[in-house]
Amino acid sequence: MKFTLSVAMNPLDQFTELARTAEECGFASIALPDSLFYSEHVSAEYPYTPDGSRFWTADTPWADPLVAVASMAAVTERIEYYTSVLKLGSRNPVLLARQVGSVAVLSGNRFGLGLGVGWSPEEFEWCGAPYAKRGKRVDEAIEVLRLILDGGMVEYHGEFFDFDKLQMSPAPSEHVPFYIGGHTEVALKRAARVGDGWSSAMMKFDDLRSTISRLAELRAEYGRADVPFEIQAVCIDRFGLDGYREQAEIGVTDIVTQPWVFEGIRFGDPVGPKKDAIRKFADEVISRF
């Protein structure tokens, strides 16, 4: 079992201290969220809350996750990083390949790309990307990213993206894993078909168990049952040693957590108590798991 520290919605000037402390305490990785902007009005419901509302505000701090990874990787040596998840639908994959390749190389191959489609029509349209056919567009974008990041002179001719031979150097010297997010059947099929893992949003244990079971079925259908596959989970009703062991039993390989939440520490609180909470979690959970 791996343990990942999420830095979502914390002040940006705390990121490097949180990363250093997580590395010292045995966390495997840092997870970074993605939000481009907060639109005053949004024309779709947020898919991961019961009432469809956003649980952050216009003043909630966000960083570009790739820039944030670069800053944290510069002050750490071993801990890995991944986006959870980056919204691919509103981005150009050729430009993104340049950014991801740079982060992977400069971090010493300590970066994994968590990918989702995105849910807000405004994020698509105001960034110049069509909201219509977003799923098919993302499928092509994933193909483009993999093609370029694997290195060499490549070309692509699809419905949404079209370019002649090009090469980005240096290419990462190791495979950049793609972790696919989303809870819909289409998203699960995408993860099973092309992903190195699946990344959950907030889920209850029973829903998580059924989703992992479905992913296993789909991976078998695609002939990928024996390919290594990560299950990154944000489970909202199983905690502590026993709870994490229950998660492991159903196939979770990576638990994403924020230890300070268990201590009643808020996102905007000083970094010192958060570091203490990370150390306590490492002593009580990671060292005993």
Side-chain angles (χ1 to χ4, degrees):
M1 176 66 74
K2 301 176 183 178
F3 289 89
T4 291
L5 181 75
S6 169
V7 296
M9 294 186 281
N10 285 272
L12 307 191
D13 60 4
Q14 297 182 0
F15 278 19
T16 54
E17 283 298 301
L18 292 174
R20 277 192 287 246
T21 304
E23 181 172 74
E24 293 166 4
C25 291
F27 277 80
S29 47
I30 301 283
L32 295 107
D34 180 40
S35 180
L36 293 172
F37 52 76
Y38 186 95
S39 56
E40 183 176 9
H41 302 289
V42 65
S43 54
E45 293 187 343
Y46 181 65
Y48 303 117
T49 56
D51 63 357
S53 65
R54 294 171 284 183
F55 59 87
W56 62 95
T57 71
D59 295 320
T60 300
W62 299 87
D64 181 287
L66 299 177
V67 175
V69 167
S71 71
M72 289 185 286
V75 299
T76 56
E77 297 179 357
R78 299 176 305 279
I79 198 165
E80 298 182 352
Y81 301 88
Y82 59 80
T83 51
S84 181
V85 291
L86 183 140
K87 298 170 183 176
L88 182 54
S90 52
R91 287 175 164 89
N92 179 286
V94 178
L95 175 59
L96 182 61
R98 172 76 287 170
Q99 297 166 323
V100 170
S102 297
V103 169
V105 170
L106 291 171
S107 67
N109 297 304
R110 290 187 285 146
F111 181 64
L113 186 61
L115 294 169
V117 175
W119 63 277
S120 169
E122 285 74 18
E123 282 195 341
F124 285 79
E125 294 163 5
W126 297 352
C127 290
Y131 189 65
K133 297 185 178 180
R134 57 195 177 278
K136 292 182 178 180
R137 186 175 184 273
V138 161
D139 286 337
E140 275 199 13
I142 291 172
E143 292 177 356
V144 169
L145 283 168
R146 177 56 65 211
L147 188 68
I148 295 175
L149 290 173
D150 282 350
M153 190 69 67
V154 299
E155 61 183 305
Y156 188 88
H157 305 286
E159 179 182 353
F160 303 96
F161 305 103
D162 191 329
F163 54 86
D164 293 329
K165 290 185 177 180
L166 60 81
Q167 180 170 334
M168 291 187 183
S169 298
S173 60
E174 296 181 9
H175 176 81
V176 176
F178 288 178
Y179 308 123
I180 309 300
H183 296 179
T184 66
E185 179 73 2
V186 172
L188 298 181
K189 287 181 177 179
R190 182 178 295 117
R193 187 176 67 252
V194 302
D196 298 285
W198 172 74
S199 184
S200 84
M202 298 173 292
M203 295 187 81
K204 292 185 177 180
F205 181 82
D206 290 342
D207 294 331
L208 183 61
R209 176 169 50 195
S210 62
T211 299
I212 292 172
S213 177
R214 179 59 179 153
L215 280 164
E217 294 173 353
L218 290 168
R219 292 178 62 228
E221 290 177 15
Y222 289 118
R224 302 186 72 226
D226 296 328
V227 177
F229 193 82
E230 296 282 348
I231 301 289
Q232 301 164 344
V234 183
C235 184
I236 62 174
D237 60 356
R238 291 293 191 281
F239 306 108
L241 276 173
D242 290 341
Y244 298 138
R245 285 171 177 152
E246 285 186 74
Q247 292 188 46
E249 289 171 0
I250 65 170
V252 173
T253 64
D254 186 350
I255 288 171
V256 183
T257 186
Q258 293 188 324
W260 48 84
V261 172
F262 304 120
E263 309 299 323
I265 299 167
R266 297 167 299 181
F267 292 119
D269 285 347
V271 72
K274 296 175 185 176
K275 292 167 65 176
D276 291 340
I278 292 171
R279 296 186 182 103
K280 180 180 178 181
F281 186 91
D283 289 341
E284 295 182 353
V285 176
I286 296 177
S287 65
R288 299 169 60 191
F289 196 83

